[in-house]
Amino acid sequence: MSMMSFWVGLVAGAFGGLVGLGGGVIMIPLMVRFFGFHQHQAHGTSLAALVFTGLTGAVTYAWKGNVDVMAAVVLAATAILTARFGALYADSLPEWKLKVAFGVFIIVVSALLLAKPLYAQWSHPVQGWPWVAILLASGVVSGFFAGLMGVGGGSIMVPAMVLFLAFSQHLAQGTSLLAMVPAGLVGAYTHHRLGNVVPGVVPGLVLGIILGTFGGGTLAQVLPEAYLRIIFAAVL
């Protein structure tokens, strides 16, 4: 399983780095399919591994100056609070309900990916306290969904930053990757306490994620994203 976990992590990390997501939307279905995990185990294990996606992706984006550290700190301030509640709520759901919820979430993520080119056209930059309030609210929502769905939360953070704060796409993606690290740690720890993390596959996932995210994040900053985004949404 260790070699298979490496390949799962590599694929998830590459896609995550390319489109600015944590990769959990790819990793969870693959773990259920190839490892035979039940949905709760897949969500918890994914979130534990995605901490490293955030770290690696944030470093990669920071090399090009595409991380706003202050914005990431504000996002994480509320995300770490709600990530725990998301994980607890996920554990309380029957497996079939969690699968249905994840399926709906995948459809929403796909729609958000396809709508990316529209974000900049609708953006209305704000400053001061409204800037802080938007980031705090985004952190509340993304943190809860990170814990619930076992994902990084970038699918919520990125549109909010581009739409309301006029961040560039790359800056929003790099910032969301950094913000997902503390929220992911809290959510993963909660899932671990609930017995929803399978430690044996985490090292392979992490190695694959680090390599995949570095490669995907590097390519994302030199390649046009349009075709990659459409393909990724179709795969989801």
Side-chain angles (χ1 to χ4, degrees), residues 112 119 153-165 169 172:
L112 290 172
Y119 297 166
S155 56
I156 295 165
M157 295 181 196
V158 171
M161 284 186 279
V162 175
L163 273 171
F164 301 114
L165 307 180
Q169 190 66 41

Coordinates of all heavy atoms in Angstrom, one line a residue, residues 112 119 153-165 169 172:
L112 N -17.1 26.1 -9.4 CA -16.3 27.2 -9.1 C -15.0 27.3 -9.9 O -14.5 28.4 -10.3 CB -15.9 27.1 -7.6 CG -17.0 27.4 -6.6 CD1 -16.6 27.1 -5.2 CD2 -17.5 28.8 -6.7
Y119 N -14.2 35.7 -12.0 CA -14.0 36.3 -10.7 C -13.5 37.8 -10.8 O -13.9 38.7 -10.2 CB -13.0 35.5 -9.9 CG -13.4 34.1 -9.5 CD1 -12.4 33.2 -9.0 CD2 -14.7 33.7 -9.6 CE1 -12.8 31.9 -8.6 CE2 -15.1 32.4 -9.2 CZ -14.1 31.5 -8.8 OH -14.5 30.3 -8.4
G153 N -9.8 23.7 1.7 CA -10.6 24.9 1.8 C -10.3 25.9 0.8 O -10.9 27.0 0.8
G154 N -9.3 25.7 -0.1 CA -9.0 26.7 -1.2 C -10.1 27.0 -2.1 O -10.2 28.1 -2.7
S155 N -11.0 26.0 -2.3 CA -12.2 26.3 -3.3 C -13.1 27.4 -2.8 O -13.8 28.0 -3.5 CB -13.0 25.0 -3.5 OG -13.4 24.5 -2.2
I156 N -13.0 27.7 -1.5 CA -13.8 28.8 -0.9 C -13.0 30.0 -0.7 O -13.4 31.1 -1.0 CB -14.4 28.3 0.4 CG1 -15.4 27.2 0.2 CG2 -15.1 29.5 1.2 CD1 -15.8 26.4 1.4
M157 N -11.8 29.9 -0.2 CA -10.9 31.0 0.1 C -10.5 31.8 -1.2 O -10.6 33.0 -1.3 CB -9.6 30.5 0.7 CG -9.7 30.0 2.1 SD -8.1 29.5 2.7 CE -8.5 28.4 4.1
V158 N -10.2 31.0 -2.3 CA -9.7 31.7 -3.5 C -10.7 32.6 -4.1 O -10.5 33.7 -4.5 CB -9.1 30.6 -4.5 CG1 -8.8 31.3 -5.8 CG2 -7.9 30.0 -3.9
P159 N -12.0 32.1 -4.4 CA -13.0 33.0 -5.0 C -13.2 34.2 -4.1 O -13.4 35.3 -4.6 CB -14.2 32.1 -5.0 CG -13.7 30.7 -5.1 CD -12.5 30.7 -4.2
A160 N -13.3 34.0 -2.8 CA -13.5 35.2 -1.9 C -12.4 36.2 -2.0 O -12.7 37.4 -2.1 CB -13.6 34.7 -0.5
M161 N -11.2 35.8 -2.1 CA -10.1 36.8 -2.2 C -10.0 37.5 -3.6 O -9.7 38.7 -3.7 CB -8.7 36.1 -1.9 CG -8.5 35.8 -0.5 SD -6.8 35.1 -0.1 CE -7.1 33.4 -0.6
V162 N -10.3 36.7 -4.6 CA -10.3 37.3 -6.0 C -11.5 38.2 -6.1 O -11.4 39.4 -6.7 CB -10.3 36.2 -7.0 CG1 -10.4 36.8 -8.4 CG2 -9.0 35.4 -6.9
L163 N -12.7 37.8 -5.7 CA -13.9 38.6 -5.9 C -14.0 39.9 -5.1 O -14.3 40.9 -5.6 CB -15.2 37.7 -5.6 CG -15.7 36.8 -6.6 CD1 -16.8 35.9 -6.1 CD2 -16.4 37.7 -7.8
F164 N -13.6 39.7 -3.8 CA -13.9 40.9 -2.9 C -12.6 41.7 -2.5 O -12.7 42.8 -2.1 CB -14.5 40.3 -1.6 CG -15.8 39.6 -1.8 CD1 -15.9 38.3 -1.6 CD2 -16.9 40.3 -2.3 CE1 -17.1 37.6 -1.8 CE2 -18.1 39.7 -2.5 CZ -18.2 38.3 -2.3
L165 N -11.4 41.1 -2.7 CA -10.2 41.7 -2.4 C -9.3 42.1 -3.5 O -8.2 42.6 -3.4 CB -9.4 40.9 -1.3 CG -10.2 40.4 -0.1 CD1 -9.4 39.6 0.8 CD2 -10.8 41.6 0.6
Q169 N -5.1 35.8 -9.3 CA -5.4 34.3 -9.1 C -4.2 33.6 -8.4 O -4.4 32.8 -7.5 CB -5.7 33.7 -10.5 CG -6.2 32.3 -10.4 CD -7.6 32.2 -9.7 OE1 -8.5 33.1 -10.0 NE2 -7.8 31.3 -8.9
A172 N -4.0 34.7 -4.7 CA -5.1 34.0 -3.9 C -4.8 32.6 -3.6 O -5.0 32.0 -2.5 CB -6.4 34.2 -4.6

